[in-house]
Amino acid sequence: MTYAHDDFDTLPRMPSWITSSRPETLEDVAFLSGAALAHLHVVLDRSEVPQSLLRDRLSLTAAEACIVRSGRSERAGELRDAVHLLRSGDLPGPAGETYLTWRRAVERPNSVKTLCRALPGIEAGQLVEWLDAGQGSPVSRAAAVLETVLTQAPRKEIPALILADAALAQALGRDHLVPLLAVGVKRADLRKRGDELRLACHRAVTRSTFDAVGLAADLARRADRLNAVAPKLRAKGAGAAVEMFLTRDAVAPSELPLPDRAARRLCDRLVDLGAVRELTGRDTFRLYGV
């Protein structure tokens, strides 16, 4: 989803020249991606941005982008269903597993331990080797990691993108992985190498950073609204429920720390107050989020 400039009213606006320019050289494209990342860095450090919620929603966006590039038909709503409506003992399916992989990659501080948890099929030593493949500026390092993984393991596109975004976050000094490259790269970009791949990565980062800033502003306003109505909630466990909404892309009533009927009533109350949205459009098996 692309966010309009009207969404940038609570956080610093990204200068329009960053996205309106159409540079061709690697040097010029790299300058714009650096400017975009510098602006995102400022936005991410703002206290009003719900960081965990932003990362969780971006993990859904990254998972959906990976699914689209693979040629599968599932979209965000189906990915949410695959994860949040999963019953004990059930398997999430390939699309749901992609979403879970991204969620695990972003929910804890960026480290080899976190990446091993997200990518259990890859040994820690191999992850370290791939992460160390990048040199230079943040995007160049990320592009080098992406190229190295795809060259050595062409079928591991999702691990390659996760590791590239992890390398980018590490180079930027961010504590957590923020999906950017995975959101912005195109299917054809993953077949490029060398300067062509670096050029594609710079452009991808500029596009996805613009959208991430818009999403951050949108979620900051929505979180502010939820915090404003929270004192009106009288249900026992409402505080813990509000915290879940402030950290998760979507929540099923059954996940809330309340009895089933009370949880459904709380969700309906929050919708009436304009603090959360029902995300599915269904009468049953509903999911809610800010």
Side-chain angles (χ1 to χ4, degrees):
M1 178 182 294
T2 298
Y3 291 83
H5 279 284
D6 289 345
D7 291 323
F8 290 68
D9 56 5
T10 62
L11 299 174
R13 297 189 179 198
M14 182 178 289
S16 60
W17 55 263
I18 293 178
T19 53
S20 62
S21 302
R22 294 293 181 267
E24 296 298 330
T25 68
L26 179 58
E27 180 181 12
D28 289 342
V29 173
F31 173 77
L32 291 178
S33 72
L37 287 169
H39 185 85
L40 178 64
H41 188 79
V42 172
V43 169
L44 290 179
D45 283 342
R46 292 288 290 261
S47 60
E48 61 263 45
V49 175
Q51 304 287 342
S52 296
L53 174 57
L54 175 63
R55 290 194 303 271
D56 199 31
R57 188 149 296 174
L58 284 174
S59 74
L60 174 64
T61 305
E64 183 180 36
C66 289
I67 294 299
V68 170
R69 283 191 295 266
S70 72
R72 295 183 63 92
S73 61
E74 293 92 344
R75 295 298 183 265
E78 291 150 305
L79 296 179
R80 284 180 175 130
D81 285 353
V83 169
H84 293 283
L85 302 182
L86 194 66
R87 295 180 179 178
S88 178
D90 288 349
L91 297 176
E97 189 58 47
T98 296
Y99 181 22
L100 284 172
T101 296
W102 276 104
R103 292 190 80 196
R104 294 181 188 119
V106 306
E107 66 186 359
R108 298 184 181 185
N110 189 22
S111 66
V112 173
K113 183 177 180 180
T114 294
L115 294 171
C116 285
R117 180 173 176 267
L119 303 167
I122 304 176
E123 294 183 357
Q126 181 65 83
L127 292 176
V128 172
E129 179 183 330
W130 281 338
L131 283 171
D132 288 343
Q135 300 293 329
S137 67
V139 177
S140 293
R141 286 176 60 178
V145 171
L146 182 60
E147 180 171 353
T148 299
V149 179
L150 290 177
T151 299
Q152 296 181 14
R155 298 176 65 87
K156 293 190 180 298
E157 289 187 0
I158 293 172
L161 289 164
I162 287 176
L163 291 173
D165 269 323
L168 180 62
Q170 185 179 57
L172 293 170
R174 306 303 311 179
D175 292 336
H176 288 77
L177 186 159
V178 178
L180 293 173
L181 268 175
V183 175
V185 294
K186 301 176 181 178
R187 186 173 184 177
D189 293 337
L190 299 179
R191 297 192 291 271
K192 297 175 180 177
R193 297 294 181 265
D195 284 349
E196 284 192 351
L197 179 59
R198 283 193 289 277
L199 190 69
C201 287
H202 282 295
R203 285 177 170 151
V205 164
T206 303
R207 286 192 299 268
S208 58
T209 298
F210 178 82
D211 285 349
V213 169
L215 177 59
D218 182 56
L219 293 180
R221 282 196 308 278
R222 293 179 183 276
D224 183 65
R225 173 61 181 168
L226 178 55
N227 282 318
V229 305
K232 301 178 181 179
L233 306 174
R234 296 290 180 260
K236 186 178 181 180
V242 166
E243 183 61 27
M244 290 177 68
F245 283 115
L246 289 172
T247 55
R248 301 187 187 185
D249 163 70
V251 179
S254 60
E255 297 176 294
L256 295 175
L258 291 87
D260 287 346
R261 184 175 295 180
R264 290 195 296 272
R265 283 201 303 265
L266 176 63
C267 290
D268 290 339
R269 172 71 169 150
L270 288 170
V271 170
D272 291 341
L273 290 170
V276 304
R277 298 170 293 160
E278 202 288 310
L279 301 172
T280 70
R282 296 188 297 248
D283 293 330
T284 58
F285 299 106
R286 290 181 159 190
L287 298 174
Y288 297 84
V290 301

